[in-house]
Amino acid sequence: MSVPRSIIVEVQQLREQLVEHNYRYHVLDAPVVTDQEYDRLFRRLQQLENEHPELVTPDSPSQRVGAEPASEFESVRHEVAMLSLDNAFDDDEMLAFDRRLRDGLDQQQALAYVAEPKLDGLALSLLYEGGELVRAATRGDGRQGENITANARTIDSIPLRLRGDQLPARIEVRGEVYMDHAGFAALNEAQRQAGGKVFANPRNAAAGSLRLLDSRITAARPLTFCSYGVGLCEGTELPGGQYEQMLYLREIGFPISRQIERLDSIEDCIEYYRRMLDRRDALAFDIDGVVFKLDDRRLQQQAGFVSRAPRWAIAYKFPAQEVMTRLLAVDFQVGRTGALTPVARLDPVAVGGVMVSNATLHNMDEIERKDVRIGDSVIVRRAGDVIPEVVAPVIERREGRLRRPRMPARCPVCDSEVVQQPGQAVHRCTGGLVCAAQRKEAIKHYASRKAMDIEGLGDKLVEQMVEAGMIDAVDDLYELSLEQIAGLERMAEKSAQNLLDALQRSKRTTLARFIYALGVREVGEATAEALAAHYADLRAIMDADIDSLQQVEDVGPVVAENIRHFFDQQQNRAAVARLLEHGVYWPAEERQRSDSSLEGHTYVITGTLDGYSRDEAARLLKARGAKVSGSVSGKTSAVIAGENPGSKLARAETLGVEVLDQAGFEALLDD
Ligand code: IVH
């Protein structure tokens, strides 16, 4: 029973195509096919291999689906020990590292270094013989690790076979396995829904996923590999520079850091560190510092090692984004919609470079799930602009009997009853606008940038005004006098006048912003825009019935119910009427545009546009009927690239998608 030659050829071609696409996607970061096309080729290969199992080879791209579960991991000895890195925590320690190195090597001139982000995952060793992946191992204690080959094979960015025809007889490549933010969030969401284990951070999720005995589960985990060095190499001379060596690894099939740079001096290293620190929050994955390695590999050899770390490399660490502190108390904060959020009061501690004394605990379900108690040592995380959160208690440090936080039966601000809707995690104060907390939040929301954008009316000022009894509701803002404002603490007459001007300016708005500003529960910016585009008239929205509302994009039964409920309340209708009486309006012109000129077009924005925030640019495009997306595909009409564009620009270029600059963007708005 021989397989027809045409099938053998097709299988061969499919494999070559898939390997090539995989390489372009994971290593070159320049895919030439869509995900759908890749999946189609993949499914065709699977189909042919199912029909002709004798054609299956271990390095076929289809063989990344995991194998039968193992009962334990075999232990493996590293032929070359896997070392760790010395750390530096400030510029002086970096300068001292460089000085030590130069003294030791008797070098007067500046030393060149290679810089890469320090990925926050776990180390992996990959051994290739004759170009084929034969073993993958964890670092373990540095001398002995665990054989996790079956798991590593499921990671798409790890080559099963190397590229090129002059391959080393044996090469051991090392790198980091990690999970990016999107993958981590998706995994945790899926785990939560399935009632499984929720991971505290991407690092733990990556470690847990890589060390599963059932590699079929690992196959479904969003793991990524990035190489950073070579352990052993036999049968080929590697380039003499670390940087060149990394380029060689990329050539033979390994992903390397996109941020890798060769730098001429330690001063440039310090400058690189600052740049990376600035970019930290914009990266798609966690990094906990930057690793610098001497570029000259001959000098590396000369410098040698001290205890368990090379003298020629150092990790310049970032301020930790996760730290431990004590949970002193739990208070409950009342939000705009009355939701009570448990807030952790912490022993103040520096996290990610700023002092933190409060952190969110999300809701009671989370507190229970994590079993957080008052007095616990807790891990606090603060990453990017995200509000600090309590990740988990450190149970091992718990002493004695600690009290669990309890949801109060009455609102801590207005003493109204607190209720929980069946099936929902949130508890809410029933006080509505009687509750000063809800009133304050409603006004803050109304004034916020994406709503009425009242410049100078910050949260503190709103609180002061509500507490002083100057305002109760949003429409009161437009009755404030110069004397009243100037009478507030720390308010100069000039600032008071500025605020009055800003209030005046805010009256001219758009229908979408106005709807958003009203603060209807679960009506965010996108929904407000959809409502404005659909009805183009406030009255029509206020009077729409539930069925009609559900015709609007993104509006389901719950949101429709919220909108209806909001406008059924006399006090809300009266507030809207008063705002209009005060002169809030939206020019009709914005409306006419809103349903036409860019309809059917999808844009992706990357980089910085002069004079427009990303949000603002997106809003202007959407107001003209366009869609704005976060990722470039064959369907993208154009990519709008400002200063310092990201990888989306490269992706547009490989896909042949039109690219517009600032002028092109502005021309779109003028059409
Ligand atoms: S080089 C001898 N480069 O950090 C050099 N390590 O603290 C050893 N890591 O075990 C490692 N990103 O898991 C190197 N670009 C990078 C790295 C990196 C993350 C991890 C690695 C290592 C640990 C040492």
Side-chain angles (χ1 to χ4, degrees):
M1 230 196 38
S2 72
V3 182
R5 169 122 194 98
S6 63
I7 300 286
I8 298 180
V9 171
E10 186 180 353
V11 164
Q12 194 52 39
Q13 284 174 344
L14 284 166
R15 284 184 189 151
E16 279 168 19
Q17 285 176 313
L18 285 165
V19 165
E20 188 62 26
H21 290 322
N22 215 32
Y23 178 68
R24 292 196 64 96
Y25 184 86
H26 290 288
V27 182
L28 300 185
D29 214 357
V32 286
V33 290
T34 59
D35 292 357
Q36 290 87 324
E37 174 64 5
Y38 183 89
D39 292 344
R40 193 185 64 75
L41 297 171
F42 193 86
R43 279 195 303 272
R44 175 70 183 151
L45 175 63
Q46 277 182 321
Q47 181 201 350
L48 294 177
E49 286 181 344
N50 276 340
E51 288 166 10
H52 308 282
E54 61 272 47
L55 294 184
V56 178
T57 57
D59 64 354
S60 170
S62 63
Q63 301 303 297
R64 290 185 181 274
V65 285
E68 284 297 306
S71 53
E72 58 172 4
F73 295 118
E74 188 193 312
S75 155
V76 293
R77 242 196 124 61
H78 297 297
E79 285 175 56
V80 178
M82 291 181 80
L83 302 169
S84 63
L85 288 167
D86 260 349
N87 294 324
F89 294 95
D90 58 35
D91 293 356
D92 286 343
E93 291 181 8
M94 285 295 287
L95 295 170
F97 155 77
D98 177 67
R99 206 171 315 113
R100 256 192 329 269
L101 201 48
R102 273 191 295 137
D103 287 350
L105 294 168
D106 209 12
Q107 281 266 328
Q108 262 76 61
Q109 324 91 301
L111 293 170
Y113 294 95
V114 175
E116 293 155 341
K118 186 170 191 301
L119 294 163
D120 202 3
L122 61 155
L124 185 67
S125 145
L126 300 171
L127 183 63
Y128 292 79
E129 289 179 355
E132 212 168 307
L133 175 66
V134 294
R135 195 199 74 192
T138 59
R139 176 171 182 271
D141 64 4
R143 312 210 156 268
Q144 221 154 350
E146 287 176 319
N147 186 333
I148 51 153
T149 312
N151 295 15
R153 289 179 57 90
T154 69
I155 301 175
D156 287 335
S157 42
I158 293 179
L160 299 177
R161 157 166 288 285
L162 302 181
R163 303 168 63 86
D165 27 43
Q166 299 237 308
L167 292 170
R170 296 179 81 217
I171 184 167
E172 187 216 351
V173 173
R174 293 170 177 181
E176 198 84 347
V177 173
Y178 64 97
M179 201 176 279
D180 68 19
H181 296 144
F184 169 68
L187 170 62
N188 261 359
E189 187 51 39
Q191 294 286 102
R192 208 170 277 134
Q193 285 188 7
K197 179 182 161 63
V198 173
F199 296 97
N201 56 41
R203 211 200 90 81
N204 291 2
S209 302
L210 201 59
R211 295 196 65 265
L212 287 165
L213 288 167
D214 189 344
S215 55
R216 292 171 302 193
I217 305 178
T218 308
R221 299 281 170 89
L223 295 171
T224 309
F225 176 77
C226 179
S227 58
Y228 53 64
V230 174
L232 65 83
C233 180
E234 294 167 7
T236 294
E237 191 64 32
L238 289 174
Q242 177 76 23
Y243 186 72
E244 241 74 67
Q245 184 181 298
M246 295 311 294
L247 297 185
Y248 171 75
L249 289 186
R250 183 162 66 180
E251 246 174 66
I252 62 173
F254 294 97
I256 65 173
S257 173
R258 273 213 269 156
Q259 286 79 30
I260 191 166
E261 280 183 37
R262 185 181 180 281
L263 305 166
D264 286 329
S265 67
I266 197 71
E267 287 75 22
D268 288 357
C269 292
I270 291 172
E271 194 263 331
Y272 177 97
Y273 170 89
R274 298 226 199 299
R275 261 192 288 142
M276 230 16 93
L277 190 54
D278 278 346
R279 291 185 54 191
R280 180 187 203 180
D281 296 334
L283 293 178
F285 42 84
D286 277 358
I287 65 178
D288 55 354
V290 175
V291 181
F292 297 99
K293 296 169 194 158
L294 192 58
D295 189 42
D296 189 324
R297 291 183 52 240
R298 211 170 31 85
L299 292 182
Q300 286 184 4
Q301 292 250 314
Q302 254 183 57
F305 303 88
V306 53
S307 71
R308 322 226 39 206
R311 279 205 188 85
W312 45 266
I314 195 153
Y316 191 178
K317 300 291 285 276
F318 288 157
Q321 285 180 325
E322 281 190 11
V323 299
M324 191 172 67
T325 188
R326 193 165 291 277
L327 176 62
L328 304 176
V330 174
D331 290 342
F332 289 84
Q333 218 162 47
V334 186
R336 175 166 58 83
T337 59
L340 267 70
T341 310
V343 178
R345 305 292 178 207
L346 305 166
D347 206 359
V349 65
V351 196
V354 298
M355 286 309 277
V356 166
S357 44
N358 304 312
T360 180
L361 279 157
H362 301 292
N363 55 52
M364 293 312 283
D365 285 3
E366 285 275 309
I367 293 184
E368 221 160 278
R369 198 174 56 69
K370 293 174 178 166
D371 187 21
V372 179
R373 305 193 194 172
I374 294 160
D376 263 333
S377 291
V378 291
I379 302 293
V380 178
R381 179 177 170 90
R382 177 188 163 274
D385 314 332
V386 189
I387 33 174
E389 62 162 352
V390 172
V391 175
V394 186
I395 306 274
E396 307 83 71
R397 294 176 64 101
R398 184 176 285 166
E399 280 168 18
R401 280 173 60 84
L402 297 180
R403 193 167 68 73
R404 293 192 163 86
R406 271 223 316 272
M407 177 58 68
R410 309 201 76 87
C411 173
V413 177
C414 72
D415 205 38
S416 299
E417 199 188 344
V418 169
V419 297
Q420 185 180 25
Q421 242 100 48
Q424 287 193 9
V426 287
H427 290 71
R428 285 181 206 279
C429 157
T430 52
L433 293 180
V434 170
C435 180
Q438 289 183 58
R439 274 186 279 132
K440 280 182 195 167
E441 294 308 314
I443 299 170
K444 287 179 198 172
H445 174 76
Y446 182 84
S448 67
R449 199 170 49 79
K450 292 177 178 173
M452 302 300 275
D453 194 15
I454 306 173
E455 229 182 298
L457 186 55
D459 291 359
K460 285 271 169 314
L461 200 51
V462 171
E463 281 171 22
Q464 241 182 314
M465 289 177 171
V466 173
E467 278 157 27
M470 285 163 61
I471 48 173
D472 269 337
V474 290
D475 51 287
D476 295 336
L477 286 169
Y478 297 114
E479 284 178 19
L480 290 168
S481 68
L482 186 65
E483 296 72 45
Q484 271 181 306
I485 303 175
L488 284 167
E489 240 178 88
R490 281 192 298 275
M491 178 62 83
E493 184 142 337
K494 179 88 174 55
S495 327
Q497 185 57 52
N498 287 346
L499 180 57
L500 272 189
D501 294 345
L503 278 163
Q504 195 58 33
R505 274 200 308 278
S506 76
K507 290 180 184 174
R508 181 193 159 109
T509 184
T510 64
L511 177 56
R513 276 177 176 262
F514 184 70
I515 295 166
Y516 173 67
L518 292 176
V520 182
R521 195 184 295 172
E522 287 177 64
V523 174
E525 259 184 298
T527 309
E529 270 164 23
L531 286 165
H534 187 92
Y535 292 101
D537 179 53
L538 178 62
R539 186 73 27 216
I541 301 171
M542 290 173 67
D543 295 336
D545 61 31
I546 303 251
D547 287 339
S548 162
L549 287 166
Q550 287 188 64
Q551 304 299 311
V552 180
E553 203 186 335
D554 284 347
V555 176
V558 176
V559 176
E561 179 64 48
N562 289 345
I563 299 169
R564 199 53 268 139
H565 180 71
F566 184 90
F567 290 116
D568 277 344
Q569 289 183 290
Q570 210 38 53
Q571 66 205 35
N572 291 335
R573 296 182 85 90
V576 168
R578 281 196 302 273
L579 287 169
L580 300 181
E581 273 164 33
H582 280 297
V584 172
Y585 75 110
W586 39 96
E589 176 218 22
E590 291 257 359
R591 230 182 56 202
Q592 277 166 11
R593 279 185 172 180
S594 72
D595 31 20
S596 58
S597 62
L598 300 179
E599 186 122 17
H601 295 265
T602 304
Y603 297 95
V604 173
I605 308 172
T606 178
T608 320
L609 291 161
D610 191 22
Y612 305 85
S613 69
R614 201 79 70 81
D615 284 340
E616 180 69 4
R619 192 183 67 74
L620 290 167
L621 292 169
K622 287 186 197 160
R624 287 155 179 79
K627 283 209 170 102
V628 176
S629 161
S631 62
V632 185
S633 76
K635 298 208 185 72
T636 309
S637 313
V639 168
I640 296 167
E643 286 289 305
N644 300 319
S647 64
K648 287 170 190 157
L649 177 58
R651 178 134 170 88
E653 281 160 1
T654 34
L655 290 179
V657 169
E658 187 185 358
V659 176
L660 298 175
D661 60 5
Q662 171 107 15
F665 164 67
E666 285 171 347
L668 279 184
L669 303 184
D670 287 342
D671 278 349

